[in-house]
Amino acid sequence: MAAVVGVLALQGSYNEHMAALRRIGAKGVEVRKAEQLLGIDSLIIPGGESTTMAKLANFHNLFPALREFVGTGKPVWGTCAGLIFLADKAVGQKTGGQELVGGLDCTVHRNFFGSQLQSFETELSVPMLAEKEGGSNTCRGVFIRAPAILEVGQDVEVLADCPVPAGRPSITITSGEGLEDQVYSKDRVIVAVRQGNILATAFHPELTSDSRWHRLFLDMDKESQAKALAALSLSASSNDADVGSKNKAPDLPIFE
Ligand code: GLN
């Protein structure tokens, strides 16, 4: 049965994700309510404006259900604002911050590359994507008031990074926990990662005609379904073993 990909449709580029899924023959459904998460195999959280999206998600009481969905191990992909949603920690937020879904062991900076005016496109080196989905070793990265990932945990695989644009004002990372501020001083910054069932990109593949990121995500879906099936047949065979042992004649006489 074809996997059903949910696309969180509160705000932002969900139509573009739906169109990208249609182009590769995948079934996408728009998700606006918690109960709709029960009927999908994987979820895309699109780009947009993460504060607005968080307000809408709060209004619809979606955060607990989204966290639960991430915890099921089903694939989840956040693009841009969606990446911010999935990060365990976000810096560069408006005062008071915003609620996050979390699950992705990283620190994200919300507007790392600057304001809307500093939006840009660039070629990104993506050897892992090319290895898995074929095609060129690079992809077009569309960065719109984009976030970037400053730090990742050890279980996070970095799929792409990019040079920090020259002349970009230095970023001070305030922990907010009484620890010292740090200045981001590296010359490259992470823009695509995978951690188990979670995929995250700081840029917008849904705005290009390169469908390899969507294909990669569908492949994660297939992997997770295969795992679920294997787990099911394993538990069925261990049940069989149990039944077998129950049916086996006891070696000792049983006195009643
Ligand atoms: N920086 C934006 C935010 O904070 C995200 C931009 C995007 O999704 N294109 O939400």
Side-chain angles (χ1 to χ4, degrees):
M1 214 170 62
V4 180
V5 185
V7 181
L8 189 65
L10 299 174
Q11 188 265 339
S13 63
Y14 59 88
N15 273 324
E16 288 75 5
H17 272 295
M18 293 290 289
L21 291 169
R22 271 197 299 278
R23 281 199 295 276
I24 58 170
K27 185 172 165 49
V29 295
E30 295 180 9
V31 170
R32 293 187 181 83
K33 293 184 182 152
E35 58 266 30
Q36 292 172 316
L37 291 166
L38 300 174
I40 57 173
D41 301 299
S42 60
L43 176 71
I44 297 177
I45 306 180
E49 215 285 326
S50 57
T51 320
T52 310
M53 224 189 277
K55 278 186 185 152
L56 289 167
N58 252 324
F59 181 78
H60 294 286
N61 193 26
L62 273 170
F63 275 104
L66 286 170
R67 284 190 196 109
E68 203 173 304
F69 190 88
V70 173
T72 60
K74 291 180 180 175
V76 183
W77 175 17
T79 56
C80 208
L83 149 66
I84 301 171
F85 255 51
L86 290 173
D88 278 345
K89 187 175 171 201
V91 294
Q93 303 191 77
K94 285 183 183 150
T95 322
Q98 70 189 50
E99 197 161 348
L100 302 172
V101 173
L104 177 59
D105 184 9
C106 75
T107 302
V108 75
H109 190 291
R110 228 192 112 204
N111 293 315
F112 182 84
F113 296 98
S115 73
Q116 195 78 356
L117 288 175
Q118 276 91 45
S119 297
F120 63 100
E121 289 187 30
T122 189
E123 259 344 87
L124 295 169
S125 172
V126 284
M128 187 291 274
L129 184 67
E131 188 190 308
K132 290 220 155 140
E133 304 300 326
S136 136
N137 260 330
T138 64
C139 80
R140 194 82 189 143
V142 180
F143 291 82
I144 305 173
R145 203 158 64 92
I149 298 168
L150 307 179
E151 283 167 351
V152 290
Q154 57 180 15
D155 294 335
V156 179
E157 184 189 358
V158 174
L159 306 183
D161 64 5
C162 86
V164 174
R168 189 190 144 282
S170 74
I171 290 240
T172 307
I173 308 153
T174 314
S175 75
E177 286 153 16
L179 300 171
E180 275 178 29
D181 291 358
Q182 298 164 253
V183 173
Y184 189 80
S185 56
K186 297 178 199 151
D187 54 359
R188 298 188 73 83
V189 70
I190 299 166
V191 292
V193 293
R194 178 173 176 182
Q195 177 193 321
N197 62 317
I198 302 178
L199 178 67
T201 51
F203 49 93
H204 291 266
E206 77 283 10
L207 300 183
T208 71
S209 56
D210 187 347
S211 50
R212 288 178 298 165
W213 288 100
H214 287 83
R215 287 185 195 283
L216 177 77
F217 186 59
L218 284 188
D219 287 344
M220 284 169 60
D221 213 332
K222 282 184 205 143
E223 271 171 36
S224 99
Q225 297 211 8
K227 261 192 210 150
L229 261 170
L232 212 72
S233 60
L234 211 84
S235 78
S237 60
S238 70
N239 279 348
D240 288 353
D242 279 357
V243 170
S245 66
K246 272 182 207 131
N247 288 345
K248 227 167 57 191
D251 341 328
L252 297 169
I254 294 172
F255 300 99
E256 289 180 299

